[in-house]
Amino acid sequence: MAIPAVAVILPLGLLFFSSGLIVNLIQAICFVLIRPLSKSTYRTINRALAELLWLELVWVFDWWAGVKVQLFTDKETFSLMGKEHALLVPNHRSDVDWLVGWVLAQRAGCLGSALAVMKKSSKVLPVIGWSMWFSEYLFLERSWAKDESTLKSGLQQLKDFPRPFWLALFVEGTRFTQAKLLAAQEYATSAGLPIPRNVLIPRTKGFVSAVSNMRSFVPAIYDVTVALPKSSPQPTLLRMFRGQSSVVSE
């Protein structure tokens, strides 16, 4: 019998929000007092703080809901995951893709240094958005005229990052839907591009900028394709909090 969502969301939400505010407060204190003296020390402390907070959501996703994440890769790449700086280029299939990335990062030992390029409005989200800001996520306005310099500056700031990090860049720029797929197929036809069947047309400016600015210190690009088996229901936040499992393949 499915557990009523409110019976799980309310206590877990209160736990996450209250513990998150404590973490945010400590992050703010460290940002003001420690970062001006030693950015490396601040990043090391913040990595541990962020990981403590994000592990709560990883637990809900991985253990409570039992979402099964299947990873398909070669042995060499697998052996280096979490041990090298990497730019991740995933598609965007569901509203929990970022959590799938956190699960993989946790298993690879780099959850606290998992970063992403996000829309600017995300950073004002209480607890989680604030923790991302303190952790040096990059926030863009989806206007290249405004974002070009912001992205370049943020990427260059990662040059002296003390631990291996993953930076996720969702090059499609939006979440997959059938309507968006049809629009992408029409565009591909008119532009003479290969017709996509399961992904959208990537936006290249951000990717080109990321590669250009991080080429000297990021040795790897992980091309990540998220797939949802037709036999399994799509993972959502509501299903996750209800403890209902799904399958995600990458």
Side-chain angles (χ1 to χ4, degrees), residues 181-196 201:
L181 175 61
L182 290 174
Q185 290 173 335
E186 291 176 1
Y187 173 78
T189 300
S190 64
L193 299 173
I195 308 299
I201 302 295

Side-chain angles (χ1 to χ4, degrees), residues 51-102:
E51 188 161 341
L52 282 174
L53 177 62
W54 297 344
L55 275 173
E56 295 180 31
L57 292 177
V58 169
W59 177 85
V60 173
F61 185 89
D62 203 12
W63 295 98
W64 171 255
V67 177
K68 185 177 181 181
V69 179
Q70 300 174 323
L71 176 65
F72 299 90
T73 187
D74 59 87
K75 291 183 179 180
E76 181 180 358
T77 300
F78 183 76
S79 67
L80 291 172
M81 289 176 63
K83 300 179 178 66
E84 62 180 355
H85 295 330
L87 172 65
L88 278 65
V89 188
N91 58 324
H92 196 2
R93 292 287 304 191
S94 73
D95 60 2
V96 294
D97 289 341
W98 53 281
L99 262 177
V100 175
W102 280 3

Side-chain angles (χ1 to χ4, degrees), residues 128-143:
I128 192 167
W130 300 341
S131 71
M132 289 176 174
W133 186 85
F134 284 120
S135 299
E136 299 181 74
Y137 274 56
L138 307 181
F139 298 96
L140 304 182
E141 298 185 37
R142 293 185 174 179
S143 169

Side-chain angles (χ1 to χ4, degrees), residues 13-213:
L14 288 174
L15 173 62
F16 180 74
F17 189 75
S18 57
S19 61
L21 288 178
I22 295 173
V23 169
N24 288 159
L25 177 60
I26 299 173
Q27 287 178 306
I29 293 172
C30 292
F31 184 84
V32 172
L33 299 181
I34 297 178
R35 193 177 189 277
L37 302 176
S38 173
K39 187 164 65 172
S40 178
T41 301
Y42 164 77
R43 283 169 161 170
T44 300
I45 296 172
N46 186 77
R47 180 182 187 275
L49 291 170
E51 188 161 341
L52 282 174
L53 177 62
W54 297 344
L55 275 173
E56 295 180 31
L57 292 177
V58 169
W59 177 85
V60 173
F61 185 89
D62 203 12
W63 295 98
W64 171 255
V67 177
K68 185 177 181 181
V69 179
Q70 300 174 323
L71 176 65
F72 299 90
T73 187
D74 59 87
K75 291 183 179 180
E76 181 180 358
T77 300
F78 183 76
S79 67
L80 291 172
M81 289 176 63
K83 300 179 178 66
E84 62 180 355
H85 295 330
L87 172 65
L88 278 65
V89 188
N91 58 324
H92 196 2
R93 292 287 304 191
S94 73
D95 60 2
V96 294
D97 289 341
W98 53 281
L99 262 177
V100 175
W102 280 3
V103 169
L104 291 179
Q106 188 270 330
R107 294 176 182 176
C110 62
L111 175 60
S113 51
L115 310 173
V117 179
M118 309 278 286
K119 58 183 179 181
K120 189 176 181 179
S121 59
S122 301
K123 72 178 180 180
V124 300
L125 293 173
V127 178
I128 192 167
W130 300 341
S131 71
M132 289 176 174
W133 186 85
F134 284 120
S135 299
E136 299 181 74
Y137 274 56
L138 307 181
F139 298 96
L140 304 182
E141 298 185 37
R142 293 185 174 179
S143 169
W144 187 243
K146 299 178 181 178
D147 292 336
E148 183 177 10
S149 59
T150 301
L151 183 60
K152 180 178 180 180
S153 174
L155 294 171
Q156 288 295 320
Q157 289 291 323
L158 300 177
K159 184 176 293 186
D160 58 351
F161 209 86
R163 297 290 297 272
F165 68 80
W166 287 359
L167 176 66
L169 176 63
F170 293 91
V171 291
E172 292 171 316
T174 186
R175 193 169 62 196
F176 180 94
T177 65
Q178 285 299 321
K180 292 173 183 176
L181 175 61
L182 290 174
Q185 290 173 335
E186 291 176 1
Y187 173 78
T189 300
S190 64
L193 299 173
I195 308 299
R197 293 186 298 172
N198 300 297
V199 296
L200 306 180
I201 302 295
R203 302 179 183 184
T204 59
K205 289 181 179 178
F207 174 75
V208 171
S209 178
V211 172
S212 299
N213 286 286

